[in-house]
C-alpha cells in the first residue's frame, strides 16, 4: 500500500483536491481511501463517503492535530492495509502554519491557494518547505500573471518540489497529480521512521523533540484514534 500525507492552510482546497485525485485514481481501478484529521468538527468525511471513498475521521479536540496524527499514524496505515487499499491519504487539519506532518520516505503534498496572498508561501513553514509536491489551487480566480508570481514565490521557498496547478471544482490537473501519487513509495514501514521536521514544544514526547514513530516513543499527552466501525 502506498501512503501520502496532505497538508496545507485552512480553506486552501485540500479536501477538493484529494477527492478529485482519488476519483482520477478510481478510473485506473486503484482502491484508495482517506483518513481526515481535524480539531473540533468536520463534515468532509461525508463528502468522501458520498463518492464511495473509504474514509475515517479523527478529531483531536484540545490537542494539536499534528501531534494527534503522528500518535496514530501507525494505526492508520494498519487500518488501510486491513481495508486492502492500494493507496491511503492522510489529510491534516491545516490550522497551524508551523505544523509538520510529513514523514521521511512518505510522499508529502502541500496544498496552497492563489488567493492567500503572495507573501503566504514564506509564512507557511515546514509543511510547504519539506513537501515533495506543492499543489496550487484557485488559479481560475486570478490572472495568469498572478498565478506565475505566486508559483515563483512557492518555488523560492521550496526549489526541489514539483508544482502542480489543480482545480478542485473541475478536476483539471488531478490526473497528473494522481500519476505522482501512483509513484509514491510502496509498502512503507513506519516503525522507527522519522518526521521531516520537529513539532512545536508543548506537553508530549514529540513536543520535546522526539521524531521516531512508535508507541514506545510516545509519552505525555497523547490520544488514540478509534478506527473500528461503530457497533
Amino acid at each position: 500500500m502506498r501512503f501520502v500525507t496532505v497538508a496545507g492552510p485552512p480553506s486552501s482546497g485540500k479536501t477538493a483536491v484529494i477527492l478529485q485525485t482519488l476519483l482520477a485514481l478510481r478510473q485506473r481501478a486503484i482502491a484508495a481511501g482517506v483518513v481526515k484529521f481535524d480539531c473540533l468538527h468536520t463534515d468532509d468525511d461525508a463528502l468522501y463517503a458520498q463518492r464511495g471513498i473509504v474514509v475515517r475521521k479523527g478529531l483531536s479536540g484540545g490537542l494539536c492535530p499534528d501531534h494527534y496524527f503522528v500518535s496514530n499514524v501507525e494505526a492508520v496505515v494498519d487500518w488501510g492495509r486491513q481495508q486492502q487499499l492500494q493507496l491511503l491519504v492522510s489529510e491534516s487539519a491545516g490550522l497551524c502554519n508551523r505544523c509538520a506532518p510529513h514523514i521521511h520516505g512518505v510522499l508529502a503534498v502541500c496544498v496552497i491557494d492563489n488567493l492567500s496572498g503572495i507573501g503566504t508561501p514564506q509564512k507557511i513553514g515546514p509543511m510547504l518547505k519539506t513537501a515533495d509536491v506543492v499543489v496550487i489551487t484557485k488559479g481560475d480566480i486570478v490572472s495568469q500573471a498572478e498565478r506565475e508570481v505566486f508559483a515563483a514565490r512557492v518555488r523560492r521557498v521550496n526549489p526541489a518540489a514539483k508544482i502542480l496547478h489543480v482545480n478542485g471544482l473541475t478536476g483539471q490537473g488531478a490526473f497528473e497529480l494522481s500519476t505522482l501519487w501512483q509513484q509514491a513509495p510502496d509498502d512503507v514501514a513506519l516503525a522507527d521512521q522519522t518526521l521531516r521536521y520537529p513539532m512545536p514544544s508543548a506537553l508530549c514526547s514529540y513536543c520535546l523533540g522526539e521524531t521516531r514513530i512508535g508507541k514506545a516513543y510516545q509519552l505525555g499527552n497523547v490520544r488514540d484514534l478509534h478506527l473500528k466501525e461503530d457497533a
Side-chain angles (χ1 to χ4, degrees):
M1 185 186 74
R2 303 180 194 280
F3 184 43
V4 178
T5 58
V6 178
S11 302
S12 58
K14 297 186 295 296
T15 298
V17 166
I18 294 170
L19 181 57
Q20 293 288 357
T21 306
L22 294 189
L23 292 177
L25 287 170
R26 180 184 292 172
Q27 295 177 4
R28 304 183 185 189
I30 303 296
V34 182
V35 174
K36 165 76 177 189
F37 288 88
D38 218 316
C39 289
L40 300 178
H41 175 77
T42 181
D43 290 325
D44 289 346
D45 55 317
L47 298 176
Y48 292 119
Q50 287 170 7
R51 304 305 291 269
I53 296 171
V54 178
V55 61
R56 288 291 183 275
K57 71 177 177 181
L59 301 178
S60 62
L63 297 180
C64 166
D66 277 351
H67 287 79
Y68 185 47
F69 158 78
V70 77
S71 298
N72 288 281
V73 64
E74 284 183 298
V76 163
V77 170
D78 288 343
W79 170 80
R81 292 192 176 111
Q82 291 167 10
Q83 299 297 313
Q84 298 183 333
L85 299 177
Q86 294 168 276
L87 187 142
L88 177 64
V89 179
S90 72
E91 179 183 354
S92 76
L95 297 176
C96 173
N97 287 339
R98 172 60 178 75
C99 290
H102 300 315
I103 301 169
H104 286 291
V106 175
L107 184 67
V109 179
C110 179
V111 179
I112 183 173
D113 71 278
N114 279 288
L115 297 181
S116 61
I118 61 174
T120 298
Q122 292 179 299
K123 301 175 183 179
I124 290 183
M127 76 164 77
L128 172 60
K129 293 177 181 178
T130 65
D132 301 306
V133 179
V134 179
V135 174
I136 304 178
T137 61
K138 304 178 185 178
D140 56 322
I141 304 176
V142 299
S143 68
Q144 178 64 28
E146 289 172 308
R147 288 195 295 271
E148 291 178 1
V149 170
F150 191 82
R153 293 296 182 94
V154 170
R155 177 71 67 195
R156 185 182 303 173
V157 171
N158 188 340
K162 295 181 180 178
I163 298 177
L164 292 179
H165 296 267
V166 178
N167 189 313
L169 297 178
T170 66
Q172 183 178 6
F175 185 84
E176 290 79 2
L177 182 58
S178 72
T179 300
L180 292 178
W181 287 12
Q182 282 189 286
Q183 298 169 359
D186 197 6
D187 198 24
V188 174
L190 293 184
D192 297 324
Q193 191 54 276
T194 59
L195 295 167
R196 298 189 182 196
Y197 200 89
M199 291 185 181
S201 297
L203 297 173
C204 78
S205 52
Y206 296 113
C207 302
L208 298 176
E210 180 63 77
T211 60
R212 291 171 294 179
I213 292 172
K215 289 292 184 183
Y217 310 115
Q218 297 169 12
L219 300 174
N221 195 13
V222 297
R223 179 182 300 166
D224 292 329
L225 170 64
H226 299 290
L227 293 168
K228 294 184 178 179
E229 293 277 0
D230 293 335

